[in-house]
């Protein structure tokens, strides 16, 4: 795979089986598959994106993000990259693109929840400038783990464009 084989585009209904498989691989509390259908087909606030590896046959969904755009807020609802494709800048590109597109639609800030022990995701968010706002104790029902609340404000299109382009580092 080279960087030119990676396509970042909006999620479609046909992607959902692969997106759901990626979710199950990535999270101990995956969303039900029908949730993704709702995000793609019905939720007017939803901006779901995927990264597709077109060098695979058939093309493979290797990353996904769902952002909810509500008034001037972009809520990062979920983000995952397949384990075989991590640490290659894909999560960074997905997040930068989704926030940039939300900013173009009027979002001024972004916020999210992340597990307290998920230091990898927190490192990614810190690179974007997300700051910790607080904690939701015992937020996750599978193990009672706390959620860390993080937010990024304002959404700066220049900084997001730089992060989007810097994510394209795959040889
Ligand atoms: C979190 C996740 C989406 C990151 O995706 P990714 O494509 O591997 O991330 P990137 O390669 O774009 O990382 C960009 C930067 O973020 C930071 N980062 C990402 N993952 C990291 C990790 N596991 N440990 C430390 N830093 C990490 C690093 O600074 C990294 O830059 P570097 O590789 O040059 O050091 C991916 O690990 C994942 O899907 N995890 C499981 C699901 C999950 O936790 N989602 C987030 C829920 S809030």
């Amino acid at each position: 795979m080279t960087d030119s084989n990676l396509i970042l585009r909006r999620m479609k209904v046909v992607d959902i089986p692969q997106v759901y498989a990626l979710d199950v691989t990535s999270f101990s509390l995956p969303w039900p598959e029908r949730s993704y259908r709702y995000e793609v087909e019905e939720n007017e606030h939803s901006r779901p994106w995927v990264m597709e590896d077109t060098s695979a046959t058939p093309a493979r969904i290797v990353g996904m993000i769902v952002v909810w755009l509500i008034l001037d807020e972009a809520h990062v609802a979920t983000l995952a990259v397949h384990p075989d494709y991590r640490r290659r800048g894909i999560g960074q590109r997905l997040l930068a693109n989704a926030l940039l597109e939300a900013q173009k639609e009027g979002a001024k800030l972004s916020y999210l929840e992340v597990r307290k022990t998920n230091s990898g995701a927190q490192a990614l968010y810190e690179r974007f400038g997300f700051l910790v706002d607080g904690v939701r104790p015992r937020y996750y029902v599978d193990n009672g783990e706390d959620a860390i609340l993080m937010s990024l404000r304002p959404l700066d299109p220049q900084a997001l464009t730089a992060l989007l382009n810097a994510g394209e580092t795959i040889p």
Side-chain angles (χ1 to χ4, degrees):
M1 183 196 67
T2 64
D3 194 58
S4 59
N5 297 124
L6 289 175
I7 307 289
L8 209 174
R9 60 167 175 78
R10 283 293 288 267
M11 189 186 294
K12 300 185 258 188
V13 168
V14 68
D15 302 325
I16 289 174
Q18 286 200 67
V19 168
Y20 176 64
L22 173 57
D23 193 332
V24 169
T25 303
S26 299
F27 292 106
S28 52
L29 282 176
W31 290 8
E33 191 167 350
R34 67 176 181 280
S35 299
Y36 287 101
R37 186 172 282 275
Y38 173 72
E39 296 302 326
V40 172
E41 291 193 316
E42 292 181 53
N43 185 357
E44 62 177 299
H45 299 293
S46 190
R47 304 293 183 271
W49 298 88
V50 294
M51 186 75 84
E52 184 176 47
D53 179 4
T54 58
S55 71
T57 311
R60 183 175 181 194
I61 303 297
V62 299
M64 58 92 174
I65 187 168
V66 177
V67 167
W68 292 324
L69 178 62
I70 301 171
L71 300 176
D72 63 354
E73 299 182 348
H75 182 176
V76 181
T78 192
L79 165 65
V81 173
H82 191 280
D84 295 347
Y85 289 77
R86 288 182 191 163
R87 300 305 291 268
R88 302 183 189 188
I90 292 173
Q92 180 169 321
R93 285 172 65 183
L94 281 164
L95 182 59
N97 170 74
L99 296 184
L100 197 52
E101 293 298 319
Q103 189 272 336
K104 287 180 195 164
E105 287 194 78
K108 295 193 168 36
L109 65 105
S110 179
Y111 66 98
L112 54 83
E113 296 95 27
V114 57
R115 284 180 190 257
K116 191 175 177 181
T117 59
N118 193 348
S119 53
Q122 288 170 36
L124 173 63
Y125 301 140
E126 282 161 12
R127 177 177 279 202
F128 278 70
F130 277 84
L131 298 174
V132 174
D133 286 332
V135 177
R136 283 196 213 281
R138 303 186 61 78
Y139 181 77
Y140 295 99
V141 296
D142 59 332
N143 63 353
E145 190 171 352
D146 295 350
I148 307 294
L149 307 177
M150 302 184 82
S151 66
L152 174 63
R153 64 191 83 199
L155 291 180
D156 173 357
Q158 282 186 327
L160 291 170
T161 302
L163 284 159
L164 178 61
N165 295 333
E168 294 184 34
T169 53
I170 297 160

